[in-house]
Each structure stands twice: as C-alpha cells, then as structure tokens.
Amino acid sequence: MDSVGVAAAAAPDAGPGPAWQSKCPWGAPSTTSISCSLADVMSEQLAKELQLEEENAAFPEVVAAAEGPFITGENIDTSSDLMLAQMLQMEFDREYDAQLRREEKKINGDSKVSISFENYRKVHPYDSDSSEDEVDWQDTRHDPYRADKPTTTPRRGFIGKGKDITTKHDEVVCGRKNTARMENFAPEFQVGDGIGMDLKLSNQVFNALKQHAYSEERRSARLHEKKEHSTAEKAVDPKTRLLLYKMVNSGMLETITGCISTGKESVVFHAYGGKSATEDKVIPPECAIKVFKTTLNEFKNRDKYIKDDYRFKDRFSKLNPRKIIRMWAEKEMHNLTRMQNAGIPCPQVVILKKHVLVMSFIGQDQVPAPKLKDVTLSNEDMKKAYYQILNMMQQLYRECNLVHADLSEYNMLWHDGKVWLIDVSQSVEPTHPHGLEFLFRDCRNVSQFFQKGGVAEALNERELFNAVSGLNITADNEVDFQAEIEALEKMNEDHVQNHGKKLATFSSDGDPPIYDE
C-alpha cells in the first residue's frame, strides 16, 4: 500500500439539503481527499503544527498571553538550564505578586487609609504586569496642603481690584499657609493628618502650636540629656557604670548585688568585698557603694555646705555640677576619716573614685541595719541610745571639730546594740558661718525624738546645745537664744575678714561636760 487517505476537516455544504446530512460522519465528503506520503505523516514538524492549530482553536487567550519573548515555542531553547530557571522564576514571581494583591485588597477593603505591598513585589524588567502606572501620592512631590496651581503674591502685596481685592494678610490665605508650615515642626510633634481637608489655622493658633512644639523639643532634649548624663533613682549613668565595672574587674569588689537605699542626694548599693592590691589595706567582706547623684535639682542647697567651708572654698565652682559632686563625695570621705580616728561608730572608708564612695556595710547578709526611726527599742535601750548619741555629738564637736548638720533619727542606724552615724557629707566645722545654726537644728531633732520616745532624762534643745558646744548661752526663750548664736557667728565672720583665718574655738567657760550614763 503506497498511500493512505487523510480526511481533512470538511466545510459545511452551502447547497440545499437536510442539516443532518452535512454533520453525518458517514456522509459523502464534499471535498476530495488529499493524499500524502507516510514520511509526511510521521514528521514531527507536522505534528507540532497540528497541535498548535488545535490549541489556537480551543484556547485563544492562552496563545495571546504566551506571545512574550520568553514563552513562545519559537524562542525557547529547552537545552539551556538558565532559560528554564528564568521562566520558572518569572512564573513563581507572578503568582507571588498576585497573592500579594489579593492580601492587599483583603486588608484594605473600603478603608480610606490603605496599605501597600508594593515594596515586596518581585518586579522584573520583562514583567509586563508591573504596576508602573500605580503611584501613591506619597511617592510624588505633591503637597496636599498646597493648591495645584500655586498663585504668587505680587510685589505690591495684593491682587484683584475693588471689592475683590485680596492681600497677603487675607484670613483664608494665611490660614492655608499656616497649615502648610506645620510640616516644619519637629518629627516628635504630632500635627495630625489633614489630607483632603481644607484646613485654615489662624495666626494665634499657629503661634501657640509653634511655641508648644519648640517647648516640647527643648523638654525632650533635656530629658534625653538627663537620662544620659545623670544618675537617676536606682540607676547609674554610663560613666558611673564604668567606674563600678573597673572596681569589679580589678578584684576590689567581688560582685554588686543590688540597690539597698535611695535618698535625695545618693543611691547606695550592696557589694561583696574582694582582695586589695596592697597588703596594708583590708577590704571588709560586705561593702556599701554610695553613688552621689549628679543632678543638683533634688538637693539644691549643697553649695551652702561647701562654698563657706575653708577646706573646699578655693575649689568650689558653682558652674560645674560634676565638680561639686566630687567635692561632696570627698568631703564625706574626710569627715568619715575624722570620725573613725576619734572612735565614733561610723562606716569605714575603703576607696573614693570621683563621685563613688565605697565604705564598709552596716548590716549583715545584704540586710542593712534599720534606722533609729524604724526600730522598736525598750526603755533601757532607748535611754542607752540617747546617752550614746549625746557622747557622739560631743566627740564630734570637740575631737573631730565637726557639726553633723543633718542629725536626726533618719541618719542614725541601730546595729549590734549601739548607734551608728551615717550621711556626713554635709557636716561642717563649728567655725562655719552657719555652723552653730546647724548644731542647734541637730539638737532640736535629737531632743524632740527622744522626748517623744519616753526618755525622761532627755534635755531640751537649748540645754543640749550648751552641753555639746560648752558655750553656756543664757536666754529665756528660743528667739533670744538664736539671736546670740547669730551674734557669735557674726563675730567669727568679722574675724575671718579682718585676720584671714578662723578662730580656733569659740569663747566658753571651760570644756563641754561629758555626759555619761
């Protein structure tokens, strides 16, 4: 058999006849058969052409979409792995972008405020579906508060004539300009979203907002500076933290456990002592780290305790807060050293580093000793504490040549059956211009506390003052008593101005008596 008859698709007969006859497969063909060789039938090229014709007839839209330079059968080189990878990647990216569009539409809905996933789309240079025409207003230079066609104010300052004249001081024009100027405020100042609204701010409102924005900006800067350069409550600044790290790294301190007390002038931490670099210095097992606050706003009257003290008068600088704090810490160290040499129960100084003072810990197992105001003592212990404090005040005045200047039940601890004095950074010498006033205030605090505590032997403030100082001031009332104290201070001040040195001691009738139980 040389040839095989191949029946082509028959066209419907245009002549008259029944409709079933043209559709019947057993009907006579209207065209003659085209004969071809077996080699043509077995040809792959012919098979591809026939398949393409069938696809064009059944799926015309797919063929139209596949006319790109990378998907048509004519340009595809199936032997190239790179080309296949690019095609697969492009198809995956298109599906991913379609999923992003569906998610974006689902989230936005009918909301006036919409979000866009445009930055997450996979855009390719050959991707025909990229939304080049979809541009958000934020990506443009359009100002929503400004007119599309800006009108320039002429040099003469007004436009129009007669009743239609408009000057640069027009309420509507100024209101819109003020609204646009709000964008110049600091980013932290929230001005709101007025897009789509014709907002007009009066000059009075705009000036108030401008002043408020400026104040908030300065306040934010002050808070940031305070946070970075000051010692806050229960926290330390980076410089203080570095000092503490150096103490731990050097082995002086083994570890810092935490904060045990906070006050108006300092924060106290507990730490376990380590080993000293020198053999002659012994570090106690438990230490107290007193970090003086570097802000003066919580204790503004420090200067009166320092500037009139001859030990620090030449070094006093009111314009350098950190220098004042270091002098304050140094002053407490010197005062504690004097008290320790006199045998007064007080913390032992370990080391001073700038505004960080390390002392021995008054307490046990991280538990600080209670203050005298918080402890409940029996009558015998209360009486014992009173006479001990009286002796310590006399020793402090006579042997240490100091006045505590802030002595009260808040600055006295009860530990091991006796009273310990703390917080002596404000202590001054009796020859201080206000030294006797500070001593009288201390005597009042001590006398009132023990009189309320039921100690019958407690002296009043004037008797206690004379007992401690030995001045034997006789006055019928407190006003005259304080007047004589001020006169003595004035006499000492005049002597300093005339002779340039302090009086050794005030005139008294002998040494102050020592009261003992």
Side-chain angles (χ1 to χ4, degrees):
M1 184 175 181
D2 296 337
S3 62
V4 178
V6 180
D13 190 6
W20 62 267
Q21 187 175 0
S22 60
K23 298 180 180 180
C24 182
W26 294 280
S30 58
T31 57
T32 59
S33 301
I34 301 176
S35 60
C36 60
S37 63
L38 180 60
D40 295 337
V41 174
M42 300 300 293
S43 173
E44 293 182 1
Q45 183 67 25
L46 179 61
K48 289 182 179 180
E49 291 177 358
L50 293 176
Q51 184 179 2
L52 252 160
E53 291 178 0
E54 292 178 1
E55 289 178 355
N56 292 338
F59 310 103
E61 65 279 0
V62 175
V63 176
E67 292 179 354
F70 293 94
I71 303 182
T72 56
E74 299 176 355
N75 297 330
I76 293 178
D77 184 10
T78 56
S79 62
S80 175
D81 294 338
L82 176 62
M83 184 63 65
L84 290 175
Q86 289 179 348
M87 293 170 57
L88 292 174
Q89 183 65 39
M90 185 179 66
E91 190 65 24
F92 171 78
D93 291 345
R94 285 180 174 176
E95 294 177 1
Y96 177 77
D97 293 344
Q99 178 67 20
L100 283 182
R101 292 193 192 96
R102 288 192 295 268
E103 292 291 336
E104 182 180 332
K105 185 176 181 182
K106 180 180 178 182
I107 294 175
N108 293 333
D110 298 333
S111 176
K112 294 182 179 179
V113 180
S114 61
I115 64 174
S116 175
F117 295 151
E118 188 71 22
N119 294 336
Y120 299 96
R121 292 193 57 195
K122 307 293 184 180
V123 181
H124 292 271
Y126 48 84
D127 190 358
S128 59
D129 293 339
S130 61
S131 56
E132 297 177 356
D133 54 344
E134 297 179 5
V135 181
D136 190 61
W137 72 268
Q138 296 180 356
D139 299 332
T140 64
R141 298 294 181 181
H142 176 64
D143 187 355
Y145 300 108
R146 195 172 298 169
D148 295 336
K149 295 181 179 180
T151 57
T152 58
T153 304
R155 296 180 61 181
R156 58 191 177 186
F158 65 92
I159 56 176
K161 295 181 180 179
K163 296 181 180 180
D164 299 332
I165 189 172
T166 302
T167 65
K168 62 180 180 180
H169 304 291
D170 183 67
E171 183 178 0
V172 177
V173 175
C174 289
R176 289 172 178 167
K177 287 183 178 180
N178 292 337
T179 305
R181 289 172 184 167
M182 287 196 305
E183 294 183 354
N184 298 329
F185 291 165
E188 297 82 8
F189 188 77
Q190 305 295 334
V191 296
D193 187 6
I195 300 175
M197 296 180 285
D198 189 12
L199 299 179
K200 307 178 189 65
L201 291 180
S202 63
N203 292 337
Q204 182 179 2
V205 175
F206 174 75
N207 291 334
L209 288 175
K210 182 179 178 181
Q211 184 65 29
H212 180 66
Y214 178 69
S215 301
E216 286 295 317
E217 186 177 2
R218 293 185 59 186
R219 176 177 174 272
S220 177
R222 287 196 302 268
L223 290 178
H224 179 73
E225 182 178 1
K226 180 179 179 181
K227 181 179 179 181
E228 292 294 331
H229 302 288
S230 65
T231 307
E233 185 176 358
K234 296 185 180 180
V236 293
D237 59 355
K239 293 184 178 180
T240 307
R241 192 178 299 113
L242 182 59
L243 291 176
L244 298 179
Y245 286 160
K246 288 182 178 180
M247 293 181 183
V248 175
N249 293 334
S250 63
M252 179 181 303
L253 299 177
E254 182 178 349
T255 179
I256 300 176
T257 57
C259 178
I260 58 176
S261 176
T262 58
K264 58 186 177 182
E265 64 176 14
S266 62
V267 182
V268 182
F269 297 91
H270 176 271
Y272 285 104
K275 297 181 180 180
S276 176
T278 58
E279 297 180 357
D280 56 344
K281 192 170 187 178
V282 179
I283 299 179
E286 291 186 272
C287 297
I289 306 174
K290 189 171 184 179
V291 181
F292 290 85
K293 294 182 179 180
T294 55
T295 53
L296 296 179
N297 55 351
E298 297 189 20
F299 199 52
K300 297 180 181 179
N301 57 347
R302 292 180 177 180
D303 54 345
K304 71 178 183 180
Y305 295 95
I306 299 179
K307 67 179 181 180
D308 294 325
D309 194 331
Y310 77 96
R311 297 177 295 174
F312 306 94
K313 187 175 182 180
D314 296 335
R315 299 165 51 194
F316 178 76
S317 175
K318 194 173 182 180
L319 302 179
N320 193 341
R322 284 200 175 264
K323 186 176 181 180
I324 296 178
I325 302 306
R326 294 179 186 179
M327 292 172 59
W328 195 257
E330 183 181 350
K331 186 177 182 183
E332 175 154 5
M333 181 195 67
H334 289 303
N335 293 338
L336 286 175
T337 304
R338 285 191 185 185
M339 295 169 61
Q340 185 180 352
N341 294 335
I344 299 177
C346 65
Q348 176 186 355
V349 177
V350 177
I351 194 173
L352 172 66
K353 290 290 186 181
K354 296 183 179 179
H355 60 285
V356 178
L357 179 62
V358 182
M359 306 171 291
S360 61
F361 179 69
I362 308 300
Q364 189 176 4
D365 297 334
Q366 302 184 26
V367 180
K371 297 178 181 178
L372 203 58
K373 73 177 186 69
D374 297 329
V375 67
T376 303
L377 300 178
S378 62
N379 295 333
E380 293 297 328
D381 290 339
M382 200 72 171
K383 184 178 178 181
K384 178 182 177 182
Y386 172 73
Y387 282 108
Q388 183 186 354
I389 292 173
L390 182 56
N391 289 331
M392 285 193 298
M393 293 178 67
Q394 292 174 346
Q395 282 183 293
L396 196 66
Y397 185 87
R398 184 177 63 177
E399 300 180 17
C400 301
N401 196 26
L402 288 175
V403 175
H404 192 283
D406 192 22
L407 187 61
S408 66
E409 61 273 16
Y410 294 89
N411 292 331
M412 294 183 286
L413 305 180
W414 181 260
H415 181 62
D416 289 341
K418 58 182 178 180
V419 180
W420 298 68
L421 294 184
I422 59 172
D423 293 343
V424 293
S425 54
Q426 72 285 332
S427 299
V428 297
E429 294 194 349
T431 54
H432 187 276
H434 303 284
L436 296 181
E437 295 180 16
F438 297 153
L439 177 60
F440 184 74
R441 185 176 62 189
D442 293 345
C443 294
R444 181 191 294 116
N445 295 335
V446 173
S447 179
Q448 290 179 356
F449 173 74
F450 283 100
Q451 286 178 355
K452 292 179 181 179
V455 180
E457 295 82 356
L459 304 175
N460 59 36
E461 56 267 21
R462 286 175 287 175
E463 295 175 348
L464 184 59
F465 179 86
N466 289 331
V468 173
S469 63
L471 296 177
N472 296 326
I473 299 177
T474 57
D476 297 335
N477 51 44
E478 185 176 343
V479 176
D480 296 339
F481 195 89
Q482 291 183 351
E484 293 190 25
I485 292 177
E486 292 177 0
L488 290 174
E489 292 177 341
K490 178 65 173 160
M491 180 182 64
N492 179 70
E493 187 176 357
D494 294 341
H495 181 84
V496 172
Q497 293 179 357
N498 296 331
H499 301 280
K501 62 180 180 178
K502 297 286 185 180
L503 286 173
T505 56
F506 292 103
S507 61
S508 61
D509 299 335
D511 294 334
I514 303 297
Y515 281 80
D516 197 356
E517 185 178 358

